Amino acid sequence: MTHLLAMTLALLLDALLGDPRWLPHPVRGMGTLIAWLDRRWNQGTKRRAKGAAAVAVVLAAVYGLSALVVYVGYALSVYVGVAIEAALIFTTIATKSLAEAAEDVRRPLEAGDLPEARRALSMIVGRDTERLDEAGITRSCVETVAENTSDGITAPLFYAALGGAPLAMLYRAVNTCDSMLGYKNETYREFGWAAARLDDALNYIPARLTALVMVLVCGGRRLRLALSILFRDARRHPSPNSGWPEAAMAGLLGVQLGGTNTYGGIVSERPTLGDPDVPLRSVHIRQAVGIMIRTVLAFTLLLLWIGGMIVALAGAWGESARVV
């Protein structure tokens, strides 16, 4: 129950503070360590083994330090322990900052300021944005909101509910390793293999659970259609996990995501997700943010309900054991 309480407090902190620049962020420390290992080990032979060792070093450091801090906190007081856990979990989620980043794209887009909308979009996506029109900017932003609803919010909450702050921090460390090393190019194809595979494994359940919650909570009149699109299109995405929340979002909005992207001038063709019932417009960014917020709230309530049921069953089991 302390994990669940800390998780709830972390969501409240995120709603109040977002991601303030003045606050030291553990991900920056993770990034520094990953970059240091990358410079020293990503060379020569046996790069796949070296990459796996680098990930193991990062995970051991992050989980070990997090577990130690949490242990000391609970040794002092349960209140101190919960507060420390909440503070750590807070650093792993990004509900408010994701919503603000999407709004930073939507506002100039609605005002007709495409250059500013492209600039704001370039801060949250890796693709080229210089030539995107309104539909392209909207699609990129909606895809980012959908994917990061899982990667940046519900997945760390899932692991926080399972194992508290240390497990949530471990998930964030894996996610950071993948974002820095998991590229399919000559430099990282071998060295980043372990990071990419581990990130895929840890996101497998959260991505699918997030997509289902998204559709069931936000489906309304489109519930059956959105479900059919989800199961029809989710596996088309080149990522084993990203396609689930993106297909769910496409089905709910009645738009088509995916298609042609450009990265560093290189064109990448991706399968489409959803049906183009309506053309992509800036209003879909606002709608995607609303879907994200409702999904996070419902996902959190689901975790709290499951956790409460487990605690109740454990209590009943213990009481029956004492009677026997």
Side-chain angles (χ1 to χ4, degrees), residues 29 33 125 158-159 169 192 198 200-201 221 248 257 270 290 299 304:
L33 177 58
V125 301
F158 177 82
Y159 286 106
M169 292 292 288
L198 187 55
D200 288 344
R221 295 178 180 179
L257 302 178
R270 292 188 175 183
F299 193 93
L304 291 173

Side-chain angles (χ1 to χ4, degrees), residues 37-321:
L37 292 167
D38 182 18
R39 288 193 301 270
R40 281 155 181 77
W41 291 359
N42 189 9
Q43 53 188 300
T45 59
K46 300 181 179 178
R47 291 195 187 189
R48 182 172 292 194
K50 291 176 181 176
V55 172
V57 168
V58 173
L59 298 191
V62 170
Y63 188 86
L65 287 172
S66 302
L68 177 61
V69 171
V70 170
Y71 175 81
V72 171
Y74 278 110
L76 294 173
S77 161
V78 66
Y79 301 107
V80 175
V82 169
I84 289 175
E85 275 210 273
L88 290 175
I89 296 169
F90 158 64
T91 67
T92 69
I93 57 179
T95 312
K96 186 175 182 179
S97 59
L98 179 59
E100 289 175 344
E103 284 296 295
D104 287 344
V105 176
R106 183 193 63 80
R107 282 192 296 269
L109 188 59
E110 286 194 349
D113 189 350
L114 290 183
E116 177 57 24
R118 291 168 183 148
R119 186 204 64 78
L121 179 65
S122 69
M123 304 299 291
I124 58 174
V125 301
R127 68 193 67 176
D128 299 341
T129 63
E130 294 83 2
R131 298 182 179 181
L132 294 179
D133 58 9
E134 180 182 357
I137 293 169
T138 300
R139 176 171 70 84
S140 299
C141 191
V142 168
E143 288 172 355
T144 297
V145 170
E147 180 181 359
N148 284 284
T149 298
S150 179
D151 286 0
I153 311 170
T154 56
L157 290 176
F158 177 82
Y159 286 106
L162 280 181
L167 200 57
M169 292 292 288
L170 183 140
Y171 168 80
R172 179 54 63 212
V174 170
N175 196 248
T176 306
C177 285
D178 178 58
S179 67
M180 294 181 66
L181 307 176
Y183 298 103
K184 296 179 180 178
N185 56 31
E186 189 62 30
T187 303
Y188 291 107
R189 184 172 289 108
E190 292 298 315
F191 191 75
W193 179 86
R197 298 290 78 75
L198 187 55
D199 186 72
D200 288 344
L202 289 186
N203 278 299
Y204 188 88
I205 294 175
R208 286 153 179 78
L209 186 58
T210 298
L212 286 172
V213 170
M214 186 181 290
V215 171
L216 293 175
V217 170
C218 306
R221 295 178 180 179
R222 291 186 62 88
L223 177 61
R224 293 181 63 182
L225 179 59
L227 276 174
S228 67
I229 289 173
L230 173 64
F231 290 108
R232 184 194 73 191
D233 293 351
R235 294 178 181 83
R236 292 181 180 178
H237 199 284
S239 164
N241 300 314
S242 298
W244 288 85
E246 288 188 27
M249 186 70 78
L252 291 170
L253 295 178
V255 300
Q256 188 170 81
L257 302 178
T260 303
N261 297 324
T262 306
Y263 300 89
I266 300 174
V267 176
S268 172
E269 293 289 345
R270 292 188 175 183
T272 56
L273 309 176
D275 299 324
D277 298 334
V278 294
L280 282 156
R281 294 288 184 267
S282 60
V283 66
H284 290 121
I285 297 176
R286 185 192 295 274
Q287 293 172 356
V289 170
I291 289 171
M292 178 266 288
I293 292 172
R294 294 196 297 275
T295 300
V296 171
L297 290 175
F299 193 93
T300 303
L301 290 174
L302 176 62
L303 292 177
L304 291 173
W305 179 77
I306 293 173
M309 290 292 293
I310 292 172
V311 170
L313 289 173
W317 178 267
E319 191 65 32
S320 63

